[in-house]
Amino acid sequence: MGLKENDQSPSHKENDIDEHEFDDSFCFAPDDTPVSVLVPTNDNAGNKFDALEEKLAEIRTAQGLALSEDSCDEESSEGDVSGVEETLDFEGEGKAEYFDSGEGLGVEENISTFSELNLSRSLLKGLASLRFDRPTPIQKVAIPVALMGKDICGGAVTGSGKTAAFLIPIIERLIHRPKNVPAATRVLVILPTRELAVQCHEVAVKMAQFTDVRCCLAAGGLPMRAQDADLRCRPEIVVATPGRLIDHLRNSASFTLESVEILVLDEADRMLEDGFKDELDEIIKHTPKQRQTILFSATMTENVDELIRLSLRRPVRLFVDSNTAIARKLLQEFVRIREERETDRVPILLALCHRTCTERCIIFFPTKELAHRYRLILGLAGLKCAELHGGLTQAERLDSLERFKLGKVDFLTATDVAARGLDIQGVKFVLNYSMPANYKLYLHRVGRTARAGLEGCSITLVGEGADRKLLKMVIKNSTVPVKHRLIPPSVIEQHSVSSQNMQSALNGLLAEEREQKLLDRTEKELTRAENIMHHKKEIHSRPKKTWFQTSRQRMDSKKRDIQSLGDDRQRTGKNESVKKRRN
Ligand SMILES: Nc1ncnc2c1ncn2[C@@H]1O[C@H](COP(=O)(O)OP(=O)(O)OP(=O)(O)O)[C@@H](O)[C@H]1O
């Protein structure tokens, strides 16, 4: 790997700051106290959750809410898989010319150990410390191709080791970088969520621990100044979320992407969606054109029009599994919710949590409000639970994740923030409160279990209409029978009574929270005003921060994203009929 000339200098656009976008840590933290990367300042997330736990226990005891075990058994029966259709892997015209066929690359697929891939001893030691004995299928094919410097567009089922498939060749190439030149950031890995960036950074650090390759994290919600200091040392690898990366590019003196030689987009299809479009374009603009680009996802797009935006150079397609594949050892179950029985969702969920998915269970909800509400409901029912969604501070999000990872709680109520990429050891169940917006999201959600060759089970509550269309798609793409789970009416009735008993306690808790939020906001405004008065001079003497997007632009971007999810759902039906016609 040699240094390459930069052909694009970073352009700093004029300040388009919006009043509400001021970052408190920028305005009101005059001291530069060093802080741990994972725990942002001014946050006592752990204490807050402990206090909530105590309160829920008090209410439970006072009102006798905890549920007792019941004796009715649930029944499972095999679903109707009639009408299963073949998937068509059709090649669009023009695709062949766009991709490199990969012929003549001499990739040896019969490799069974990492040493056969000619990796450096220091890297092999890192892999051994992670207990990676032999490469997974995607690693077998991706490592040699990435080592050749080829652009890659790759896909393999959830939990199949895609992270290591790009990190191993990157670290290997960096071990052989020229050493007699100034330090430079040569690799940029972009991920769509903060938790994923933290996770990828952790793996990279462990993998490179016996090498001289340094890795830095630039993810939103974490202390900006500590990251700034790390970036100034020009680590070889930067793992980042798009927003924070752009923030550093605009506001951290001397940080540029001009020496980037490898750009990786993990969860690349997500990064190419509307919500990230503007940010991604901005980042690409700052990286040299002569770079290697690596894209991975379990649901990787092969839409050439979308890929062209990234100016790939004849990428090699490495698809070990189809982009609709489900982990081999995943048992998929569905509980039907009839239109007139929509109110059964609460008791059914409670029943499943009490009787079936009793531990290591992630429950997905369509909104953060519901994820929080059910965190309280499960707490009132005496179940140990944490929550993960965009309504929490970053410290709270990481604290929840840690509690679930360490097994301090059995349940994690979450939104789709947790759907992609999160690798949590031993997740046994994924419960979907409702069908996700599209099949792709379904694959990512259920992919949080049955990872790395382990078994897992997903249970999804399915309503009518669009939900049924998605269910058909799931059945069509499944290689093992999909189960239809029946919950006896007596069990639903029992849990329905308990949930009604909780109602007033739940309303009380939610009202209390609303009041507290209002108080907190007023207090924050007050502190902000005081700080402006006391530190006016200092604040104005600081260089003005520049922003990539105003809140309105970000909202528009989000709206486009939601719109495209809706379109996707409509397309689900259309694609089905197109494929049928092709058959
Ligand atoms: N060669 C290997 N040997 C043993 N375990 C491995 C190997 N490669 C990866 N793993 C483990 O497999 C698990 C899944 O890996 P990873 O998170 O990279 O999956 P992924 O394909 O990126 O999944 P997703 O599509 O959900 O993001 C991790 O716990 C990782 O440590």
Side-chain angles (χ1 to χ4, degrees):
M1 183 192 269
L3 277 177
K4 287 177 187 146
E5 261 185 88
N6 176 30
D7 54 359
Q8 290 190 337
S9 59
S11 68
H12 291 265
K13 270 195 202 162
E14 271 314 294
N15 185 358
D16 51 4
I17 192 165
D18 177 310
E19 254 293 288
H20 304 288
E21 287 187 322
F22 265 110
D23 175 351
D24 284 355
S25 65
F26 168 68
C27 287
F28 308 120
D31 63 322
D32 214 349
T33 331
V35 280
S36 139
V37 173
L38 290 186
V39 186
T41 43
N42 307 331
D43 242 318
N44 51 357
N47 296 346
K48 191 175 153 188
F49 288 142
D50 287 337
L52 177 60
E53 205 52 63
E54 273 173 32
K55 187 177 254 176
L56 288 166
E58 260 172 42
I59 300 175
R60 272 196 317 266
T61 321
Q63 305 195 9
L65 285 177
L67 294 177
S68 57
E69 281 301 306
D70 49 57
S71 54
C72 308
D73 278 336
E74 288 152 40
E75 297 157 28
S76 261
S77 64
E78 222 153 272
D80 176 14
V81 287
S82 59
V84 173
E85 300 158 44
E86 286 285 303
T87 348
L88 264 185
D89 185 13
F90 102 95
E91 286 280 300
E93 288 101 47
K95 229 181 205 179
E97 293 111 71
Y98 180 73
F99 289 103
D100 184 330
S101 70
E103 267 174 43
L105 292 178
V107 175
E108 180 59 75
E109 287 188 37
N110 295 328
I111 281 166
S112 60
T113 62
F114 281 114
S115 30
E116 286 171 71
L117 288 163
N118 292 324
L119 302 175
S120 300
R121 194 179 286 264
S122 52
L123 177 53
L124 288 173
K125 237 172 125 182
L127 292 174
S129 76
L130 285 164
R131 296 179 193 277
F132 289 7
D133 301 328
R134 49 191 69 239
T136 65
I138 185 69
Q139 291 162 5
K140 280 184 200 175
V141 292
I143 294 171
V145 178
L147 284 173
M148 287 174 209
K150 291 263 173 201
D151 282 3
I152 291 178
C153 185
V157 74
T158 50
S160 58
K162 294 186 287 295
T163 315
F166 64 76
L167 283 178
I168 293 171
I170 282 173
I171 296 171
E172 179 65 24
R173 289 188 66 191
L174 287 170
I175 290 173
H176 301 287
R177 72 193 182 280
K179 303 283 164 70
N180 51 355
V181 293
T185 294
R186 293 161 189 263
V187 178
L188 175 64
V189 182
I190 315 259
L191 301 106
T193 68
R194 298 158 179 187
E195 285 77 10
L196 283 188
V198 170
Q199 181 178 294
C200 179
H201 174 255
E202 276 174 9
V203 178
V205 168
K206 279 187 195 149
M207 213 177 262
Q209 63 183 301
F210 303 105
T211 73
D212 61 354
V213 174
R214 296 158 308 150
C215 181
C216 157
L217 177 66
L222 299 168
M224 181 92 181
R225 288 183 185 202
Q227 287 178 5
D228 222 359
D230 286 349
L231 290 176
R232 245 176 272 140
C233 301
R234 300 182 193 279
E236 283 73 35
I237 307 175
V238 170
V239 177
T241 50
R244 179 56 68 89
L245 183 77
I246 293 174
D247 205 352
H248 281 297
L249 277 172
R250 294 183 150 244
N251 300 296
S252 303
S254 81
F255 176 64
T256 74
L257 299 176
E258 61 193 27
S259 48
V260 165
E261 296 174 358
I262 307 177
L263 170 69
V264 180
L265 299 187
D266 197 6
E267 306 297 345
D269 56 332
R270 173 74 187 107
M271 304 293 309
L272 284 163
E273 281 167 14
D274 264 344
F276 286 103
K277 186 180 180 304
D278 301 337
E279 288 174 323
L280 192 59
D281 289 348
E282 175 77 4
I283 292 168
I284 300 282
K285 207 169 75 187
H286 283 76
T287 56
K289 280 206 176 91
Q290 292 305 308
R291 57 168 199 268
Q292 178 183 10
T293 308
I294 300 177
L295 314 175
F296 271 118
S297 171
T299 49
M300 188 59 213
T301 179
E302 290 185 79
N303 185 332
V304 172
D305 293 343
E306 287 174 23
L307 297 175
I308 280 171
R309 272 178 53 213
L310 300 173
S311 42
L312 299 170
R313 287 169 302 150
R314 296 270 291 154
V316 181
R317 283 160 84 197
L318 299 175
F319 284 79
V320 168
D321 308 289
S322 88
N323 60 5
T324 52
I326 296 253
R328 247 179 346 106
K329 293 192 180 167
L330 175 71
L331 171 66
Q332 299 172 87
E333 296 189 355
F334 292 87
V335 178
R336 187 169 182 185
I337 309 280
R338 292 183 192 279
E339 210 168 353
E340 67 283 6
R341 305 287 307 178
E342 270 295 326
T343 48
D344 283 354
R345 279 187 203 264
V346 192
I348 286 178
L349 203 90
L350 276 175
L352 288 169
C353 292
H354 256 284
R355 305 151 50 85
T356 316
C357 320
T358 51
E359 51 171 357
R360 312 297 295 142
C361 174
I362 302 181
I363 316 174
F364 283 103
F365 293 89
T367 63
K368 56 187 178 198
E369 287 77 17
L370 272 176
H372 177 61
R373 191 182 178 86
Y374 274 84
R375 183 261 171 277
L376 296 179
I377 292 177
L378 293 184
L380 286 170
L383 301 173
K384 285 187 184 156
C385 184
E387 56 192 306
L388 180 60
H389 49 77
L392 306 174
T393 65
Q394 191 53 28
E396 287 168 348
R397 279 162 69 158
L398 290 171
D399 185 74
S400 288
L401 203 54
E402 203 59 12
R403 279 169 190 247
F404 185 66
K405 274 185 180 173
L406 295 176
K408 289 184 180 168
V409 295
D410 295 311
F411 300 91
L412 184 70
T413 60
T415 55
D416 283 317
V417 128
R420 276 180 180 260
L422 276 189
D423 183 52
I424 303 172
Q425 298 294 312
V427 172
K428 287 190 179 166
F429 301 96
V430 167
L431 240 170
N432 285 314
Y433 169 82
S434 54
M435 266 290 195
N438 54 44
Y439 182 60
K440 209 195 243 190
L441 263 177
Y442 173 83
L443 287 181
H444 286 285
R445 282 187 184 186
V446 299
R448 294 318 98 211
T449 183
R451 298 175 69 74
L454 297 176
E455 289 183 351
C457 172
S458 70
I459 305 181
T460 305
L461 310 193
V462 207
E464 307 290 337
D467 276 14
R468 304 285 296 171
K469 279 186 190 150
L470 257 179
L471 173 59
K472 271 193 190 159
M473 240 188 137
V474 173
I475 294 171
K476 191 181 82 175
N477 286 299
S478 183
T479 49
V480 287
V482 165
K483 303 258 180 182
H484 177 203
R485 180 174 279 269
L486 295 171
I487 318 264
S490 58
V491 174
I492 299 181
E493 181 54 31
Q494 182 204 349
H495 288 275
S496 181
V497 172
S498 338
S499 71
Q500 279 159 21
N501 291 343
M502 281 173 205
Q503 202 54 54
S504 74
L506 181 66
N507 290 343
L509 274 171
L510 290 169
E512 223 174 273
E513 281 181 356
R514 276 194 296 273
E515 251 170 54
Q516 188 60 46
K517 241 186 207 163
L518 204 68
L519 271 173
D520 289 349
R521 202 179 305 152
T522 318
E523 207 172 296
K524 211 171 165 191
E525 286 296 315
L526 213 71
T527 320
R528 185 181 154 93
E530 273 174 13
N531 273 323
I532 288 181
M533 275 163 61
H534 292 130
H535 303 284
K536 202 172 181 181
K537 235 181 173 177
E538 204 229 318
I539 291 166
H540 287 296
S541 68
R542 289 180 188 175
K544 239 184 175 180
K545 226 177 162 182
T546 70
W547 299 88
F548 170 59
Q549 282 179 317
T550 61
S551 347
R552 182 159 305 138
Q553 284 167 331
R554 245 199 323 264
M555 290 269 281
D556 286 347
S557 203
K558 265 193 176 164
K559 265 189 210 152
R560 285 204 305 269
D561 218 13
I562 292 166
Q563 169 82 43
S564 74
L565 276 182
D567 292 348
D568 206 357
R569 203 155 176 160
Q570 277 172 5
R571 271 199 303 273
T572 311
K574 283 183 195 153
N575 286 345
E576 296 281 303
S577 43
V578 168
K579 281 186 179 171
K580 261 184 209 160
R581 276 204 302 277
R582 284 184 177 275
N583 256 342

